[in-house]
Amino acid sequence: MSNDRRNETQLLCDILGLESLVDDITSKLLASSASETPSAILGPFYRHNAPLLPNGSSIIQDLDPSVPWYTQAVADSAHVTGRVLSSSGEPIQGAIVDVWHAAPNGLYEQQDEAQPDMNFRGRFMTDAEGRYSFYALRPVSYPIPDDGPSGRLLKLLDRHPYRPGHIHFIVSAPGFRTLTTQLYDDRDHYVTNDAVFAVKDELIVKFVPKEGDPKALWLLEYDFVLGRK
Ligand code: BEZ
Ligand code: FE
């Protein structure tokens, strides 16, 4: 089942909790301060070299409006912003915030012919106050690919394949340990029952209604705290 768009071995590790277990052990060994943002698994859908975009721009690329989920999805857009800080609270200028999330049909762009290349992906560089800012969709839960051996194993174990709605992040800056993590929408039913065991309480966030912004219905504010190398 594995090819350049799908890694079935990693999926198997994920549903058995292996990737989350390795993340849990490693993050505890590496963390030097309790204020550091917890890490979470990378997952199999990261792509290098997402477009480097100016702060305040959108990772939602134009799609054919006949794609069934497109109009409703764009209406559920969110402004995501915050700062990247050191564990002593200083802003980190020039940090790279690399983000990606799935489409409302549950597919990442490399899984889906209907989506443009690099849709729902982008990299943003923090300003002098350590601030990043972008527009995205409010993420929804999706099933991990379950049409192969991992899916068969899930069925045998009487388990579902869903992950709670989340946005993936890799936050990096010179002199600091790179943080791979995810933020989980607290409205999501699967936040307490993730098929790959990756949710940590500190990573569950609240999207609040945003007024007066024609580009977003929701606001998510989140500061990332990086540990020094
Ligand atoms: C993900 O979050 O993209 C993911 C993680 C583990 C397995 C499948 C997908
Ligand atoms: Fe994901």
Side-chain angles (χ1 to χ4, degrees), residues 58-60 69-70 72-80 100-106 120 134-142 164-168 183-189 191 204-210 215-220:
S58 178
I59 62 170
I60 310 167
W69 49 263
Y70 181 62
Q72 190 231 324
V74 171
D76 211 23
S77 60
H79 181 205
V80 183
W100 69 106
H101 69 68
N105 62 354
F120 303 132
F134 65 92
Y135 286 85
L137 296 184
R138 191 165 176 185
V140 295
S141 46
Y142 64 80
H166 58 275
I167 304 178
H168 293 265
L183 296 179
Y184 301 95
D185 190 337
D186 75 339
R187 79 171 168 180
D188 199 296
H189 168 69
V191 90
I204 300 175
V205 295
K206 220 175 240 323
F207 287 75
V208 296
K210 188 169 190 208
K215 289 194 288 183
L217 206 60
W218 304 100
L219 172 67
L220 171 62

Side-chain angles (χ1 to χ4, degrees), residues 59-106:
I59 62 170
I60 310 167
Q61 292 187 31
D62 286 340
L63 276 177
D64 181 342
S66 66
V67 171
W69 49 263
Y70 181 62
T71 312
Q72 190 231 324
V74 171
D76 211 23
S77 60
H79 181 205
V80 183
T81 185
R83 289 168 306 158
V84 179
L85 304 169
S86 70
S87 47
S88 47
E90 288 120 29
I92 304 175
Q93 180 175 9
I96 299 290
V97 179
D98 193 344
V99 305
W100 69 106
H101 69 68
N105 62 354

Side-chain angles (χ1 to χ4, degrees), residues 14-18 20-21 41 159 163 194-199:
D14 286 324
I15 62 162
L16 295 172
L18 190 55
S20 288
L21 180 64
I41 64 172
R159 284 174 45 197
R163 297 220 60 216
D194 178 8
V196 300
F197 311 101
V199 179

Side-chain angles (χ1 to χ4, degrees), residues 133-171:
S133 161
F134 65 92
Y135 286 85
L137 296 184
R138 191 165 176 185
V140 295
S141 46
Y142 64 80
I144 63 169
D146 64 346
D147 55 341
S150 310
R152 285 210 298 281
L153 182 56
L154 280 174
K155 279 191 197 84
L156 287 168
L157 294 168
D158 202 16
R159 284 174 45 197
H160 69 76
Y162 283 87
R163 297 220 60 216
H166 58 275
I167 304 178
H168 293 265
F169 293 85
I170 297 179
V171 186

